[in-house]
Amino acid sequence: MILRGRVIVRGKAEGYVVKCDKPVVILGDINEREGTACGKSVVNKIFVFPCGAGSTVGSYTIYGLRYYGNAPAGMILQEAETIVTAGAIIAEIPTVDRIEISKIKEGDYVRMEDGIVEIISSRPHS
Amino acid sequence: MYLTREEERILEGEEGEILAKMMEILVKVGEIYHADRLIPITSAQISGVSYNTIGDSGLHFLNSLKGAKVRVLTTLNPLAFDERYLYELGVDEKTYNKQMEIIKAYVDIGVKTTATCTPYYFDNIPKFGEHIAWAESSAVIYVNSIIGARTNREGAITALASALIGKTPNYGLHLEKKRKATHLVELDFQPEGEEYPLLGLLLGERVKGIPYLRIGGNYDDFKLMGAAMAASGSVAMYHVENFTPEYRKALHDDVERIFIERKELENNASCEDVELVAIGCPHVSPSELRRIADYLKGKKKRTGVELWIFVARSVKERYPELIRMIENFGGKVMVDTCVVVSNAGKIYHTIGTNSGKAAFYLAKEKFGGAKVVVRDLYTLLRSVVQ
């Protein structure tokens, strides 16, 4: 299945999906030193979530994921806002929004390039 | 979004990688919020200063900006400590050194190290109608509402990008039509004392937009109300009838009405047994400082309670005699930091304050999870006197 969205940060990425269903409070829900979001590892994964929330210092947390070598391979959002957008740009994480994320499930294998997201397989994360 | 040739050049990297990245941030945020273009700003206020919040990665990022310079007057939010009170604030050597490196990184790019959340008293005073790019939600709501300057609720990075480029995307509160009231707030009471910050906390939860109020009050009352609103919610502006500069054009037919009763502002705990009384979130105004000093003059602090007053360095320096009166009483006047971004919430477990914003954050686990009581200034001062 192919989904089309809006490019926030250009680039190619692929990997297994880690998904949070609720808005992610960036400064709080993400631990940049451990590379986790809402308790799950996002390192080299495709991190899918509806939108960012909370303190606007959160952009630094996303940069921290890159700094500690824990960045996700890519990010897919329903709707990006200022915190995630600025964070994704300085951390250089390929990011796309305006994607119907209900179509993507935890453990799916997806490939993304610029505004296009392709769900390669819907197998569980091994 | 329309970009000038000059802006295109920067975006394409002709003025270096740093500015290209900063321009990319402004352009992308502008696209997301349907800005038509970038507009020049006259000043910026930057958050993301305390080592406790941005950490080593934040410092690394700031160091990567070396060589760039801000293009407008740019001031800075509070940091983790006042250098004179390292012991009282539980600051270890590592935090001290890292914090100093962060400050140096900001100095290197031309930022003024004001370290206050109230730059609008002396350090960075925007005028009515000016476009600015400010982070620090309590300052954003103050200058939009009370002064009539225009800024969105910028983030740490977008404010920094705007400072380095000298521009901001033209959307949201920069536009006349987006500064109208969305909610008409009807109260069965006229707020007094601590009811201003408590009302602010409640409005932040209930209003996604711009509330319009018909209440009396002074600048300090509304500062505390606004800061609380901006902390518990995402409000960036309010109107007060016959007080704020833009109220005349704010009301229209399709505002939503909301009703709040006095009894909804629950606040029953007593401030008699707190370990710390903290005043100055946001930092105290010259008028608040004078009231505090005047009340405490010639009195003695009782034992078992601390009184900490947080203030901008620029305010403190202008009123040495008031500072002396407070210090003679036994209170501590701290600059450059505040009760939220320092370790205060981790050192004291019961705190009395006149700030709804401080109460909102200090109660959270991340900030120490203290028990916080909100009371008006004079009730708090009376409680620390022998």
Side-chain angles (χ1 to χ4, degrees), chain B residues 291-347:
Chain B
R291 287 182 154 180
I292 295 165
D294 230 54
Y295 183 84
L296 299 178
K297 189 180 179 182
K299 296 191 174 76
K300 280 246 167 344
K301 186 174 76 64
R302 67 179 173 83
T303 50
V305 65
E306 285 290 319
L307 173 66
W308 290 3
I309 311 292
F310 297 92
V311 61
R313 188 177 281 274
S314 55
V315 174
K316 184 187 165 193
E317 282 168 357
R318 279 173 172 80
Y319 302 97
E321 78 287 3
L322 300 182
I323 305 301
R324 219 171 304 124
M325 279 150 75
I326 296 169
E327 291 184 340
N328 285 344
F329 168 80
K332 293 189 172 66
V333 181
M334 299 192 183
V335 297
D336 299 346
T337 189
C338 77
V339 71
V340 177
V341 297
S342 69
N343 283 329
K346 289 170 184 154
I347 300 169

Coordinates of all heavy atoms in Angstrom, one line a residue, chain B residues 291-347:
Chain B
R291 N 6.7 46.6 47.0 CA 5.7 46.1 47.9 C 6.3 45.1 48.9 O 6.0 45.2 50.1 CB 4.5 45.4 47.2 CG 3.7 46.4 46.5 CD 2.5 45.7 45.8 NE 1.5 46.7 45.6 CZ 0.3 46.4 45.0 NH1 0.1 45.1 44.6 NH2 -0.6 47.3 44.9
I292 N 7.1 44.2 48.4 CA 7.7 43.2 49.3 C 8.6 43.8 50.3 O 8.5 43.6 51.5 CB 8.4 42.1 48.4 CG1 7.5 41.3 47.5 CG2 9.2 41.2 49.3 CD1 8.1 40.6 46.4
A293 N 9.5 44.7 49.8 CA 10.5 45.3 50.6 C 9.8 46.2 51.7 O 10.2 46.1 52.9 CB 11.5 46.1 49.8
D294 N 8.8 46.9 51.3 CA 8.1 47.8 52.2 C 7.5 47.0 53.3 O 7.5 47.5 54.5 CB 7.1 48.6 51.4 CG 7.2 50.0 51.6 OD1 8.3 50.6 51.5 OD2 6.1 50.6 52.0
Y295 N 6.9 45.9 53.0 CA 6.2 45.1 54.0 C 7.1 44.5 55.0 O 6.9 44.4 56.2 CB 5.3 44.0 53.3 CG 4.5 43.2 54.3 CD1 3.3 43.7 54.8 CD2 5.0 42.1 54.9 CE1 2.6 43.0 55.8 CE2 4.3 41.4 55.9 CZ 3.1 41.8 56.3 OH 2.4 41.2 57.3
L296 N 8.3 44.1 54.5 CA 9.2 43.4 55.3 C 10.2 44.3 56.1 O 10.8 43.8 57.1 CB 10.1 42.4 54.5 CG 9.3 41.3 53.7 CD1 10.3 40.5 52.9 CD2 8.5 40.4 54.6
K297 N 10.2 45.5 55.8 CA 11.1 46.5 56.4 C 11.0 46.5 57.9 O 9.9 46.6 58.4 CB 10.8 47.9 55.9 CG 11.7 49.0 56.2 CD 11.3 50.3 55.7 CE 12.2 51.4 56.1 NZ 11.8 52.7 55.6
G298 N 12.1 46.3 58.6 CA 12.1 46.3 60.0 C 11.5 45.1 60.7 O 11.5 45.0 61.9
K299 N 11.0 44.1 59.9 CA 10.5 42.9 60.5 C 11.5 41.8 60.5 O 12.6 41.9 59.9 CB 9.2 42.4 59.8 CG 8.0 43.4 59.8 CD 6.8 42.8 59.2 CE 5.6 43.6 59.4 NZ 5.5 44.7 58.4
K300 N 11.2 40.7 61.3 CA 12.1 39.6 61.3 C 11.5 38.3 60.8 O 10.3 38.1 61.1 CB 12.5 39.3 62.8 CG 13.6 40.3 63.4 CD 14.9 39.4 63.7 CE 16.1 40.2 63.9 NZ 16.2 41.6 63.5
K301 N 12.3 37.5 60.1 CA 11.8 36.3 59.5 C 11.7 35.2 60.6 O 12.6 35.1 61.5 CB 12.7 35.8 58.4 CG 12.2 34.5 57.7 CD 13.1 34.2 56.5 CE 14.4 33.5 57.0 NZ 14.2 32.2 57.6
R302 N 10.6 34.5 60.6 CA 10.5 33.4 61.6 C 11.4 32.2 61.2 O 11.7 32.1 60.0 CB 9.1 33.0 61.9 CG 8.4 32.3 60.8 CD 7.0 31.9 61.1 NE 6.2 31.4 60.0 CZ 6.3 30.2 59.5 NH1 7.1 29.3 60.1 NH2 5.7 29.8 58.4
T303 N 11.8 31.4 62.1 CA 12.6 30.3 61.7 C 11.8 29.1 61.1 O 10.6 29.1 61.3 CB 13.4 29.7 62.9 OG1 12.5 29.5 64.0 CG2 14.5 30.6 63.4
G304 N 12.4 28.2 60.3 CA 11.7 27.1 59.8 C 11.0 27.4 58.5 O 10.4 26.5 57.9
V305 N 11.2 28.6 57.9 CA 10.7 28.9 56.6 C 11.7 29.8 55.9 O 12.4 30.6 56.5 CB 9.3 29.5 56.7 CG1 9.4 30.9 57.3 CG2 8.7 29.6 55.3
E306 N 11.9 29.5 54.6 CA 12.7 30.3 53.7 C 11.9 31.2 52.9 O 10.8 30.8 52.4 CB 13.6 29.4 52.8 CG 14.7 28.7 53.5 CD 15.8 29.7 54.0 OE1 16.2 30.6 53.2 OE2 16.3 29.5 55.1
L307 N 12.4 32.4 52.6 CA 11.7 33.3 51.6 C 12.7 33.6 50.5 O 13.7 34.2 50.7 CB 11.3 34.6 52.3 CG 10.8 35.7 51.4 CD1 9.4 35.3 50.7 CD2 10.6 37.1 52.1
W308 N 12.3 33.2 49.3 CA 13.1 33.4 48.1 C 12.3 34.3 47.1 O 11.2 33.9 46.7 CB 13.5 32.1 47.4 CG 14.5 31.3 48.2 CD1 15.0 31.5 49.4 CD2 15.1 30.0 47.8 NE1 15.9 30.5 49.8 CE2 15.9 29.6 48.8 CE3 14.9 29.2 46.6 CZ2 16.6 28.4 48.8 CZ3 15.6 28.0 46.6 CH2 16.5 27.6 47.6
I309 N 13.0 35.3 46.6 CA 12.4 36.2 45.7 C 13.2 36.1 44.4 O 14.4 36.3 44.4 CB 12.4 37.7 46.2 CG1 11.9 37.9 47.6 CG2 11.7 38.6 45.2 CD1 10.5 37.6 47.8
F310 N 12.6 35.9 43.3 CA 13.3 35.8 42.0 C 13.0 37.0 41.1 O 11.9 37.4 41.0 CB 12.8 34.5 41.2 CG 13.1 33.2 42.0 CD1 12.2 32.7 42.9 CD2 14.4 32.6 41.8 CE1 12.5 31.5 43.6 CE2 14.7 31.5 42.5 CZ 13.8 30.9 43.4
V311 N 14.1 37.5 40.6 CA 14.0 38.8 39.9 C 15.0 38.9 38.8 O 16.0 38.2 38.8 CB 14.2 40.0 40.9 CG1 15.5 39.9 41.6 CG2 14.0 41.4 40.3
A312 N 14.7 39.7 37.8 CA 15.7 40.0 36.7 C 16.9 40.7 37.3 O 16.7 41.6 38.1 CB 15.1 40.8 35.6
R313 N 18.1 40.4 36.8 CA 19.3 41.1 37.2 C 19.1 42.6 37.0 O 19.5 43.4 37.9 CB 20.5 40.6 36.4 CG 21.8 41.0 36.8 CD 22.9 40.3 36.0 NE 23.1 39.0 36.4 CZ 24.0 38.7 37.4 NH1 24.7 39.6 38.0 NH2 24.2 37.4 37.7
S314 N 18.5 43.0 35.9 CA 18.4 44.4 35.5 C 17.5 45.1 36.5 O 17.6 46.3 36.8 CB 17.9 44.6 34.1 OG 16.7 43.8 34.0
V315 N 16.5 44.4 37.1 CA 15.6 45.1 38.1 C 16.3 45.2 39.4 O 16.3 46.2 40.0 CB 14.3 44.2 38.2 CG1 13.4 44.8 39.3 CG2 13.5 44.2 36.9
K316 N 17.0 44.1 39.8 CA 17.7 44.1 41.0 C 18.7 45.2 41.1 O 18.8 45.9 42.1 CB 18.4 42.7 41.2 CG 19.1 42.6 42.6 CD 20.0 41.4 42.7 CE 20.9 41.5 43.9 NZ 22.0 40.6 43.9
E317 N 19.5 45.4 40.0 CA 20.5 46.4 40.0 C 20.0 47.9 40.2 O 20.7 48.7 40.7 CB 21.4 46.3 38.7 CG 22.4 45.2 38.8 CD 23.0 44.8 37.5 OE1 22.6 45.5 36.5 OE2 23.8 43.9 37.5
R318 N 18.7 48.1 39.8 CA 18.2 49.4 39.9 C 17.6 49.7 41.3 O 17.3 50.9 41.6 CB 17.0 49.5 38.8 CG 17.5 49.8 37.5 CD 16.4 49.8 36.5 NE 16.8 50.3 35.2 CZ 17.5 49.5 34.3 NH1 17.9 48.3 34.5 NH2 17.8 50.0 33.1
Y319 N 17.4 48.7 42.1 CA 16.8 49.0 43.4 C 17.6 48.4 44.6 O 17.1 47.6 45.3 CB 15.4 48.4 43.4 CG 14.5 49.0 42.3 CD1 14.3 48.3 41.1 CD2 13.9 50.2 42.5 CE1 13.6 48.8 40.1 CE2 13.1 50.8 41.5 CZ 12.9 50.1 40.3 OH 12.2 50.6 39.3
P320 N 18.9 48.8 44.7 CA 19.7 48.2 45.7 C 19.1 48.3 47.2 O 19.3 47.5 48.0 CB 21.1 48.9 45.6 CG 20.8 50.1 44.8 CD 19.6 49.8 43.9
E321 N 18.5 49.5 47.4 CA 17.9 49.7 48.8 C 16.8 48.7 49.1 O 16.6 48.3 50.2 CB 17.5 51.2 49.0 CG 16.2 51.6 48.4 CD 16.2 51.8 46.8 OE1 17.2 51.5 46.1 OE2 15.2 52.2 46.3
L322 N 16.0 48.4 48.1 CA 14.9 47.4 48.3 C 15.5 46.0 48.6 O 15.0 45.3 49.4 CB 14.0 47.4 47.1 CG 13.3 48.7 46.7 CD1 12.3 48.5 45.5 CD2 12.5 49.3 47.9
I323 N 16.5 45.7 47.8 CA 17.2 44.4 48.0 C 17.7 44.3 49.4 O 17.6 43.2 50.1 CB 18.3 44.2 47.0 CG1 17.8 44.4 45.5 CG2 19.0 42.8 47.1 CD1 16.7 43.5 45.1
R324 N 18.3 45.4 49.9 CA 18.9 45.4 51.2 C 17.8 45.1 52.3 O 18.0 44.4 53.2 CB 19.7 46.7 51.5 CG 20.9 46.5 52.2 CD 21.8 47.8 52.3 NE 22.1 48.3 51.0 CZ 21.8 49.5 50.5 NH1 21.2 50.4 51.3 NH2 22.1 49.9 49.3
M325 N 16.7 45.8 52.1 CA 15.6 45.6 53.0 C 15.1 44.2 53.1 O 14.9 43.6 54.2 CB 14.4 46.5 52.6 CG 14.6 48.0 53.1 SD 13.8 49.2 52.0 CE 12.1 49.0 52.4
I326 N 15.0 43.5 52.0 CA 14.6 42.1 51.9 C 15.7 41.2 52.5 O 15.3 40.3 53.3 CB 14.2 41.7 50.5 CG1 13.1 42.5 50.0 CG2 13.9 40.2 50.4 CD1 12.8 42.4 48.5
E327 N 16.9 41.5 52.2 CA 18.0 40.7 52.7 C 18.2 40.9 54.3 O 18.5 39.9 55.0 CB 19.3 40.9 52.0 CG 19.1 40.3 50.5 CD 20.4 40.4 49.7 OE1 21.3 41.2 49.9 OE2 20.4 39.6 48.7
N328 N 18.0 42.1 54.7 CA 18.1 42.3 56.2 C 17.0 41.6 56.9 O 17.2 41.1 58.1 CB 17.9 43.8 56.5 CG 19.2 44.6 56.1 OD1 20.3 44.0 56.0 ND2 19.1 45.9 56.0
F329 N 15.9 41.4 56.3 CA 14.7 40.6 56.9 C 15.1 39.2 57.0 O 14.6 38.5 57.9 CB 13.5 40.8 56.0 CG 12.4 39.9 56.3 CD1 11.5 40.1 57.4 CD2 12.2 38.7 55.6 CE1 10.5 39.2 57.7 CE2 11.2 37.8 55.9 CZ 10.3 38.1 56.9
G330 N 16.0 38.7 56.1 CA 16.3 37.3 56.1 C 15.9 36.5 54.8 O 16.0 35.3 54.7
G331 N 15.3 37.3 53.9 CA 15.0 36.7 52.6 C 16.1 36.7 51.6 O 17.1 37.3 51.9
K332 N 16.1 35.8 50.6 CA 17.1 35.8 49.6 C 16.5 36.3 48.3 O 15.4 35.9 47.9 CB 17.6 34.3 49.4 CG 18.3 33.8 50.6 CD 19.0 32.5 50.4 CE 19.9 32.1 51.5 NZ 19.1 31.8 52.8
V333 N 17.3 37.2 47.6 CA 16.8 37.7 46.3 C 17.7 37.1 45.3 O 18.9 37.3 45.3 CB 16.9 39.2 46.3 CG1 16.5 39.7 45.0 CG2 16.1 39.8 47.4
M334 N 17.2 36.2 44.4 CA 18.0 35.5 43.4 C 17.7 36.1 42.0 O 16.6 36.4 41.7 CB 17.6 34.0 43.5 CG 17.9 33.4 44.8 SD 17.8 31.6 44.7 CE 18.1 31.2 46.5
V335 N 18.8 36.1 41.3 CA 18.7 36.6 39.9 C 19.1 35.4 39.0 O 19.6 34.4 39.4 CB 19.6 37.8 39.5 CG1 19.2 39.0 40.3 CG2 21.1 37.4 39.8
D336 N 18.8 35.5 37.7 CA 19.2 34.6 36.6 C 18.5 33.2 36.6 O 18.7 32.4 35.8 CB 20.7 34.3 36.7 CG 21.6 35.5 36.5 OD1 21.0 36.5 36.0 OD2 22.8 35.4 36.8
T337 N 17.7 32.9 37.7 CA 17.1 31.6 37.8 C 15.7 31.8 38.3 O 15.2 32.9 38.4 CB 18.0 30.7 38.7 OG1 17.4 29.4 38.6 CG2 17.9 31.1 40.1
C338 N 15.0 30.7 38.5 CA 13.7 30.8 39.1 C 13.3 29.5 39.8 O 14.1 28.5 39.8 CB 12.6 31.0 38.0 SG 12.2 29.6 37.0
V339 N 12.2 29.5 40.5 CA 11.8 28.4 41.3 C 11.6 27.1 40.5 O 11.7 26.0 41.0 CB 10.6 28.7 42.2 CG1 9.3 28.8 41.4 CG2 10.4 27.7 43.4
V340 N 11.3 27.3 39.2 CA 11.0 26.1 38.4 C 12.2 25.5 37.7 O 12.4 24.3 37.8 CB 9.9 26.5 37.3 CG1 9.7 25.3 36.3 CG2 8.6 26.9 37.9
V341 N 13.1 26.3 37.2 CA 14.2 25.8 36.4 C 15.5 25.5 37.3 O 16.4 24.8 36.9 CB 14.7 26.6 35.2 CG1 13.6 26.7 34.2 CG2 15.2 28.0 35.6
S342 N 15.4 26.0 38.6 CA 16.5 25.6 39.5 C 16.1 24.3 40.2 O 15.1 23.7 39.8 CB 16.7 26.7 40.6 OG 15.5 26.7 41.4
N343 N 16.9 23.8 41.2 CA 16.6 22.6 41.9 C 15.6 22.8 43.0 O 15.4 21.9 43.8 CB 17.8 22.0 42.4 CG 18.6 21.3 41.4 OD1 18.1 20.7 40.4 ND2 19.9 21.2 41.5
A344 N 15.0 24.0 43.2 CA 14.2 24.3 44.4 C 13.2 23.3 44.7 O 13.0 22.9 45.8 CB 13.6 25.7 44.2
G345 N 12.5 22.9 43.6 CA 11.4 21.9 43.8 C 11.8 20.5 44.3 O 11.1 19.7 44.8
K346 N 13.1 20.3 44.1 CA 13.7 19.0 44.5 C 14.2 19.1 46.0 O 14.4 18.1 46.6 CB 14.8 18.5 43.6 CG 14.1 18.1 42.3 CD 15.2 17.8 41.2 CE 14.5 17.5 39.9 NZ 15.3 17.8 38.7
I347 N 14.5 20.3 46.4 CA 15.0 20.5 47.8 C 13.9 20.7 48.8 O 13.9 20.2 49.9 CB 15.9 21.7 47.8 CG1 17.1 21.5 46.8 CG2 16.5 22.0 49.2 CD1 17.9 22.8 46.5

